[in-house]
Amino acid sequence: MEPRTDRIVIDGVSDGPRTLSSVVDRPDAVFRWIARSGGTIVVTVMTLVGLFLLIRGFEAIQFAGPAFVIEQAWDPNSGKFGIAAVFLGTVFIALTAIFFALPLSFGTALYISEYAPQRLKPFLITTVDLMAAIPSIVYGLWGFFFLSPLILPLSQWLATYIGPWFPPFAVAGFDPNDPLATPTIFSASTFIAGIVVALMVAPITSSIMREVFQQAPLGEREGALALGATKWGMITSVVIPYGRGGIIGGTMLGLGRSLGETIAVFLIISPVFVIQPQILEKGGNSISALIALRYNEASAFEISALMAAGLALFIVTLIINFGASTIVARSRSGSVGD
Amino acid sequence: MTDVIERPNAHGSDDERDAVDGEPAARSPRTWTRTDTPTPASAPELRRSTATIRSIDVIRLIGSALAAVALTSWLFFYALPLEGELGFVLVSYGFFLLFFGILTAFDENRPTVRDRLASVVMHSLAFLLLLALFSVVVYTTLRGLEPLGIPTFFPNFYLEDMSNAGPLDGLDRGGVAHAIVGTLIMITIALILTVPLGILTAVFLTEYPGRFSRFVRTVVEAMTALPSIVAGLFVYAIIVQFGLTRSGFAAACAITVMMLPIVVRSADVVLRLVPSSLKEAARALGASTWRTVWTVTIPTARSGLTTAVILGTARGIGETSPVLLTAGATTFFNFNPFSGPMTSLPLTTFTFIKSPELNFIARGFGTAVVLMALVVILFVIARAIGGRGPGQLSARQQRARTQASRIDDYRFRARELGITPPQAVSPFERLKRLIPMPARRRVTPHD
């Protein structure tokens, strides 16, 4: 090939960049119009949902005033309603879920990316991705019929031995010395709902983490090993620092999902309208479960109150999701190119 | 770079064929038939396996596991007033880690001990999660077997609705065919709304970057955070506001509101992966934007787009909460999405298991298994289609492309030499050529 120079000089005049003008022909103009209108329709629908939620929800928020954030009860028809209990209930469930989902998905992601035999890897990746697609009602069924009875002894043990020192595990009305105490006081609790939601979000979280771990640069991996690092040394010095964005982003995305989870929580939990920080005790609540519980035969004002609760949930999820996608995107920048 | 300059007919196979056909070998500098699958220079380096298993590690693992179980059994059965299976497993796992650490520390330095312990913990975390996930599927399937007709087969579960089955009727009456029909109708409507709109929007986002498309992308990303129940509540509020009734169409709308951002977002990601060199090549050949999109961008990303749509469908099918608010559960067939309540598989599962009747709960599990099977089928199809990245061809597609460009090559050469160009090959003719003939003939566009 001819050697090329960046700049062609003819007769002492250098040939700089020229301005290009393009003429759009008719089919192209039509296509642009169609594509743009497609985008406009989507944006209109999405904004409509947001606006509708905002307007209808705002009606209720305006009526309730600041009590909307403080009040625990939910009785819109008598004007006494607030999201304090349900919102905190949602947060408790989500935190329990993340407490379990984070180590599980982190370990699974690291195992698939670093430890699993090469031949097993595609199968494991497919399995985890498939589990992320399994409907939440299936997890709800499993949690309600299989996990609940299994977890009661564990709850009882935690309440007996850890409860006295760690307030969230304390259970009012449970006396460990009473031989006739029934374990039903531990059923339908935030703890059980949290575990089920944890299993539901763990696949997606682990999938994101694994993707980022697998992108950790080969040169640095092998460099660490060549310098005599053990596998764990290599993981802590190369893979985890490189995948930090994925860990945080994946966890936040899982948190966002667990905040919005409805059916599994609705099936398992027995709804109460007080702030219930004792996660082992029967009863809890979440915003989405509240909507599923109360939407039916609701008056127009009740619906607007539910909309307000939904709006609060939406805003929190939005903030968390945006944070997550920013962090994941930043951690991947520079590693993918054309 | 040399293979670009090299001309095709220098390849032995082409010359040989020309000699057989008695065709004068024209040397057309314009065409080049690629016969090999190229490996791009930028292909990622393969990771080498550095895994080693030493027998001493395995012996330590087995030894400490046995010791841990033995000690825990002694504690549980003789020494301390402990009980419970879960507690047994937890305590013995703790002892196991302890023993394994101590055993390793006898012979190894501290980083190695840490490495071995970390390895064991990571393995067990992965095992625990996979075990839990398997137990979700296996437990649901096992409990769903009876209504599904195993071991005694009743076809009614797949063929009938629930209108004739009373609360105390056995599993040989009633079925969930109405829910299957409802799910199919709802997801079809949702797909009709979502697919064109979603892919068009994704094309708009990638092809026309600008302030407006950035705004669209932000809104779409925001809406992926919308909890599905809120999407249902939105449609429900509209129904109430305008005095409409719940229907299959309303549920499909709620599913669309939930699915649309997911599909747009993943289609956008797939379209952005289309190499810009391909698009620029099309533009350089004089193609307009829309021809580039139609003939280059979308075909290149086809498998990825299909995967995006199918995975979105799997999400839409399994979603209970928007359907719960908008469809209204029924026990009978309803084929009209615009009037009367309609039910779907997840919603039917939900209504079944809220019942105290054991047969209803069993039917709930059966419905959940049908739903899972549907999702798994969709997922497998998505995997089969979307395993490859944009522009990567299967062996068959590669052969087809090679054949197509060979035909072009012959056409060009024929024109250059002034002989009649080969006739266009009909699909039937092409099919006939795929079947191996008894007499060995070379497949060329000349016969």
Side-chain angles (χ1 to χ4, degrees), chain B residues 186-256:
Chain B
M186 282 178 204
I187 205 71
T188 310
I189 296 174
L191 281 178
I192 289 171
L193 294 173
T194 310
V195 172
L197 210 54
I199 290 180
L200 195 65
T201 308
V203 166
F204 172 68
L205 292 183
T206 43
E207 293 300 319
Y208 298 104
R211 203 176 297 160
F212 181 57
S213 66
R214 219 174 312 141
F215 170 67
V216 175
R217 186 174 282 140
T218 313
V219 170
V220 166
E221 257 174 40
M223 291 318 275
T224 49
L226 185 77
S228 56
I229 186 121
V230 178
L233 189 64
F234 165 71
V235 174
Y236 181 72
I238 287 182
I239 292 174
V240 172
Q241 186 127 31
F242 293 100
L244 307 169
T245 55
R246 300 191 205 174
S247 64
F249 184 69
C253 287
I255 294 176
T256 306

Side-chain angles (χ1 to χ4, degrees), chain A residues 233-315:
Chain A
M234 185 271 282
I235 290 170
T236 45
S237 57
V238 177
V239 179
I240 293 180
Y242 186 84
R244 188 169 289 139
I247 299 173
I248 300 172
T251 310
M252 283 174 80
L253 212 65
L255 187 65
R257 278 236 177 148
S258 49
L259 285 172
E261 177 46 45
T262 312
I263 285 300
V265 174
F266 182 60
L267 270 178
I268 289 167
I269 220 152
S270 78
V272 292
F273 288 93
V274 287
I275 296 175
Q276 172 74 283
Q278 279 138 15
I279 59 169
L280 293 176
E281 196 174 328
K282 183 175 188 162
N285 222 331
S286 84
I287 291 182
S288 42
L290 166 81
I291 296 174
L293 188 70
R294 293 292 175 86
Y295 80 98
N296 211 356
E297 283 131 31
S299 66
F301 183 71
E302 267 183 288
I303 286 186
S304 115
L306 288 176
M307 285 256 175
L311 182 69
L313 178 62
F314 179 41
I315 290 171

Side-chain angles (χ1 to χ4, degrees), chain B residues 151-187:
Chain B
T152 43
F153 184 71
F154 336 103
N156 59 298
F157 193 72
Y158 311 97
L159 299 176
E160 289 177 16
D161 60 11
M162 286 301 291
S163 52
N164 285 326
L168 295 175
D169 274 333
L171 292 174
D172 54 341
R173 296 192 70 172
V176 291
H178 61 304
I180 299 175
V181 168
T183 289
L184 291 181
I185 290 176
M186 282 178 204
I187 205 71

Side-chain angles (χ1 to χ4, degrees), chain B residues 263-288:
Chain B
V263 170
V264 171
R265 209 174 164 187
S266 41
D268 180 34
V269 170
V270 171
L271 287 178
R272 266 195 279 176
L273 284 178
V274 173
S276 44
S277 55
L278 282 182
K279 289 195 257 181
E280 280 161 17
R283 303 308 292 260
L285 288 170
S288 59

Side-chain angles (χ1 to χ4, degrees), chain B residues 383-408:
Chain B
R383 266 295 133 107
I385 294 172
R388 288 180 299 277
Q392 286 180 322
L393 302 175
S394 69
R396 208 165 59 118
Q397 285 171 321
Q398 185 73 46
R399 273 204 303 280
R401 297 275 164 104
T402 309
Q403 181 67 15
S405 50
R406 199 170 269 156
I407 291 172
D408 282 344

